Amino acid sequence: MTVRRVNVVILVLLVIAFLIILHRNLLNLNDFLKQVNPDTVPGMALPFETDFLSDHKVIRTGDEIPVLITAPEERLGAAVTAMNSIYRNSKANVVFNIVTLNESVVHLRTWLSKTDLKHKIIIFDPKILAGKISNDPQKVEAVKPLTFARFYMPVFLPDAEKAIYLDDDVIVQGDIRELFDTSLKFGHAAAFSEDCDSASSKGMVRGAGNQNSYIGFLDFKKEAIKKLGMRANTCSFNPGVFVANLTEWKQQNITSQLEFWMEHNAKEDLYSKTLADSITTPPMLIVFYKQHSNIDPMWHVRHLGATGAGKRYSPQFVNAAKLLHWNGHYKPWGRTSSFPDIWDKWYIPDPTGKFHPIRRHAEEK
């Protein structure tokens, strides 16, 4: 065999080896996007969305502020509106990490293409919740998988040291950098707004349980709860808005701790019987018991979705709030709610026509 033939054979073998490696990499792209242990990964990150940069005049620079928000199909309009309010009220380099389900990706991308929002879409895999939620058919029906996305922040934001989590039913009226700059005490993995603070207590929901203390969320008759030695009258907090130290979160294995209590509740029903749909709150109350910092109360003015919220808060107070949260039954895109004009100010119409604020849609007919 001549030298030339040998070279040709070597070249062909190299090409074949290259194609095999390329094929293997393409097949394993999902694994590359996930964490090291694929069996415990709740989702997959899609490539960074950069199309929005091409036709826009302002490209924001500086340190990135990661914001994690969920976007279920029936509430995409809420998430987009919340993000738009953040973007328009700050000059910070905010990156929105949007957690959604696979069937909503196309719709979400189409909507976001009409905005200036710098974002990354993350697909949540509900299979991660297997064994962690009740098998009761009625309870399973009420569970919204994306509500648990906040438990997996370090997985979705592997390179971030600090981040903000926001529910989708919020409007931000202040500069988000101010919230991001919240100082967390040494050893604390998160900062919340307590339910007894001066701002939120005005809109406190009073009912069968004390929804501003631990006894309103946990069943203190259960042995597992008794053994923790927590005081039932301890002021609770709302996990719909919080700042997280993700370095500390990972060091303390907060996600594993939250999953432990989810599994424990699925077996022993540890949550309060008066609990409404705040099923993510009880495990967070346990894990962060007396181990969390506080955010400025004006950065989480809540209960705007409760009955009579319009009477509890004055328009002047609402306008002065840095962040408004319509937690409760009445959402600002629904038929009836308090202060819907504030939400309308930041709403971006759905280019596909699938999402309509019920109130506005009714008026147009």
Side-chain angles (χ1 to χ4, degrees):
M1 182 178 293
T2 65
V3 174
R4 184 175 180 180
R5 286 185 176 179
V6 171
N7 289 340
V8 170
V9 170
I10 292 174
L11 180 60
V12 170
L13 290 174
L14 288 173
V15 170
I16 293 173
F18 172 77
L19 291 174
I20 291 174
I21 293 172
L22 179 62
H23 180 65
R24 183 176 299 171
N25 285 341
L26 288 173
L27 288 176
N28 292 307
L29 181 58
N30 280 355
D31 293 332
F32 171 76
L33 291 170
K34 296 180 180 180
Q35 298 296 308
V36 176
N37 185 355
D39 292 329
T40 59
V41 172
M44 176 183 74
L46 296 181
F48 195 76
E49 305 289 316
T50 56
D51 291 344
F52 78 98
L53 291 174
S54 59
D55 299 322
H56 301 281
K57 298 178 181 179
V58 180
I59 298 178
R60 300 184 180 186
T61 58
D63 294 339
E64 292 184 350
I65 295 180
V67 173
L68 188 80
I69 190 168
T70 60
E73 177 65 28
E74 69 277 9
R75 293 168 63 139
L76 290 188
V80 173
T81 303
M83 291 186 288
N84 188 44
S85 73
I86 294 170
Y87 180 83
R88 298 299 172 187
N89 284 301
S90 176
K91 294 182 180 179
N93 185 18
V94 182
V95 178
F96 296 101
N97 299 269
I98 312 164
V99 186
T100 192
L101 299 177
N102 190 55
E103 57 266 26
S104 301
V105 172
V106 174
H107 187 185
L108 181 58
R109 272 183 164 161
T110 302
W111 206 330
L112 291 172
S113 70
K114 304 301 180 181
T115 74
D116 302 333
L117 306 176
K118 186 176 182 180
H119 62 277
K120 179 169 60 178
I121 296 176
I122 300 166
I123 300 175
F124 187 82
D125 184 359
K127 292 179 181 177
I128 192 65
L129 301 178
K132 301 180 181 70
I133 55 177
S134 173
N135 291 322
D136 184 331
Q138 292 183 338
K139 293 182 179 180
V140 170
E141 183 70 21
V143 170
K144 307 296 183 185
L146 292 177
T147 61
F148 298 98
R150 70 197 84 188
F151 291 2
Y152 300 95
M153 288 184 72
V155 179
F156 298 141
L157 306 170
D159 300 321
E161 296 181 359
K162 190 177 185 181
I164 296 171
Y165 171 82
L166 298 176
D167 277 352
D168 59 9
D169 51 353
V170 305
I171 288 293
V172 173
Q173 301 184 128
D175 188 336
I176 197 70
R177 179 174 291 282
E178 184 181 329
L179 178 60
F180 184 73
D181 288 341
T182 297
S183 178
L184 277 70
K185 294 179 181 179
F186 178 78
H188 287 182
F192 305 91
S193 176
E194 293 191 343
D195 291 326
C196 305
D197 65 49
S198 59
S200 295
S201 62
K202 293 183 180 181
M204 185 172 60
V205 178
R206 299 184 183 276
N210 296 314
Q211 294 295 326
N212 67 330
S213 62
Y214 271 50
I215 197 171
F217 296 90
L218 295 164
D219 187 348
F220 277 80
K221 295 179 181 179
K222 295 296 175 69
E223 192 63 29
I225 300 299
K226 286 182 180 180
K227 287 182 178 179
L228 293 174
M230 300 184 301
R231 297 187 59 167
N233 63 350
T234 300
C235 187
S236 56
F237 56 78
N238 185 299
V241 175
F242 64 89
V243 180
N245 178 334
L246 297 181
T247 301
E248 197 67 43
W249 189 297
K250 286 183 280 190
Q251 289 178 348
Q252 297 182 30
N253 294 317
I254 297 295
T255 297
S256 295
Q257 292 186 55
L258 292 168
E259 289 183 322
F260 171 82
W261 286 107
M262 288 172 66
E263 293 170 355
H264 214 349
N265 175 67
K267 297 174 183 176
E268 299 185 27
D269 203 14
L270 304 176
Y271 301 166
S272 171
K273 298 298 186 294
T274 63
L275 187 68
D277 56 354
S278 304
I279 55 176
T280 55
T281 303
M284 296 192 81
L285 291 179
I286 295 173
V287 173
F288 289 103
Y289 180 70
K290 294 188 180 300
Q291 289 294 320
H292 66 85
S293 298
N294 296 318
I295 63 176
D296 182 336
M298 294 302 283
W299 269 103
H300 195 180
V301 174
R302 49 199 178 276
H303 303 310
L304 271 72
T307 302
K311 296 180 179 178
R312 290 191 178 100
Y313 295 115
S314 70
Q316 293 79 8
F317 177 78
V318 169
N319 288 331
K322 303 294 183 65
L323 182 148
L324 301 170
H325 188 183
W326 278 265
N327 61 311
H329 181 70
Y330 301 102
K331 303 302 182 184
W333 59 87
R335 194 174 303 280
T336 304
S337 73
S338 299
F339 308 105
D341 54 312
I342 294 179
W343 189 87
D344 287 346
K345 181 179 178 182
W346 307 108
Y347 173 64
I348 298 174
D350 181 0
T352 71
K354 295 178 182 178
F355 180 93
H356 292 280
I358 298 175
R359 164 179 34 79
R360 179 181 294 185
H361 194 45
E363 292 172 354
E364 292 173 352
K365 288 185 177 180

